[in-house]
Amino acid sequence: MNQQQVTTGIVLTRVDYGEADRIIIFITPDAGKLRLMAKGVRKVKSKLAGGVELFSISHITYIRGRSEIGTLVSSRLQTHYGRIIENIDRTMAGYEIIKQLGKATEDEPEADYFHLLEQAFAALDSPETPLELITVWFSAQLLRLSGHTPNLQTTPDGTKLAASQTYEFSFDDSAFVPREAAPYAADHIKFLRLTFSGNQPTVLAKVTGASRLAKATGQLVMLMRQQHLRF
């Protein structure tokens, strides 16, 4: 008989099954992705329902199944980022962030991905943190964790980036190249360095002109993500 196991999980997807059940995919810090059957969770008096909410972190007890789907035994809410759903734009951004992380991770993702999603929820739950900054930061972290941080220090030939120069980004070299009247200057590159270094959004929000810089670099980071992560 399989033993019960305990971990912390964040819901990535919930799919209705039968009349009252759901198949739920959790991401965890120590057990990768778990596909668990939550029996009777859609019933009004279900004891599981409160611990399988979106934008939440829950303590879960489960049993691994013989197939790829195990059984959710119990769930208890640890943290719920309820302010996310009070704003439609932040709610939709939250859905997109969950979707992106699901696509970026295999069945056994590193614990860093769990903590990344936890940090993203905390940022979305904070009205003071600009939404455009969160979305740029999150894409940058997915690139960083997958080993695709761009060269933000030198040009492709090894020349150190200069504060007085403007640059365009070479996707072939994953680096900036100098060009007169190009769209990226020293402040954009400094912002990207801070973003890719792993700083949390609340820290980035303190940078002078953070919202402006996030908007100016957002398209570039999104194109990097599409190039390397294919979504």
Side-chain angles (χ1 to χ4, degrees), residues 151-162 167 173 175-178:
N151 178 1
L152 300 171
Q153 304 298 327
T154 68
T155 63
D157 65 5
T159 303
K160 187 176 180 180
L161 300 179
Y167 296 89
D173 299 301
F176 285 96
V177 294

Side-chain angles (χ1 to χ4, degrees), residues 1-149:
M1 182 175 179
N2 290 335
Q3 292 185 342
Q4 294 184 2
Q5 300 182 59
V6 178
T7 189
T8 303
I10 297 175
V11 174
L12 295 181
T13 63
R14 302 182 300 185
V15 178
D16 290 348
Y17 185 86
E19 293 184 0
D21 305 338
R22 274 190 178 133
I23 297 173
I24 302 175
I25 298 179
F26 292 92
I27 187 169
T28 72
D30 54 2
K33 286 181 179 177
L34 295 174
R35 293 167 175 81
L36 303 177
M37 179 70 73
K39 296 181 179 179
V41 72
R42 290 153 57 202
K43 293 181 179 179
V44 175
K45 296 183 179 181
S46 172
K47 294 181 179 180
L48 294 176
V52 293
E53 294 296 321
L54 293 175
F55 309 130
S56 299
I57 301 171
S58 298
H59 292 293
I60 61 173
T61 302
Y62 68 98
I63 299 174
R64 288 192 181 273
R66 293 182 178 179
S67 66
E68 66 173 13
I69 300 178
T71 301
L72 182 65
V73 177
S74 66
S75 59
R76 178 169 56 86
L77 194 66
Q78 173 184 312
T79 306
H80 179 57
Y81 299 96
R83 284 185 292 185
I84 295 176
I85 61 173
E86 295 175 0
N87 180 283
I88 185 62
D89 292 332
R90 296 178 97 81
T91 301
M92 297 309 295
Y95 288 145
E96 182 62 23
I97 280 173
I98 292 172
K99 180 180 177 181
Q100 288 178 17
L101 188 132
K103 289 182 176 180
T105 52
E106 302 293 339
D107 285 345
E108 299 295 334
E110 300 172 9
D112 287 343
Y113 285 98
F114 172 89
H115 297 304
L116 172 60
L117 195 51
E118 184 179 20
Q119 292 168 10
F121 287 169
L124 288 169
D125 198 58
S126 171
E128 297 79 19
T129 307
L131 183 56
E132 59 271 13
L133 187 150
I134 299 170
T135 56
V136 172
W137 165 83
F138 187 78
S139 289
Q141 299 317 300
L142 290 181
L143 286 163
R144 181 179 65 86
L145 290 176
S146 63
H148 294 293
T149 299

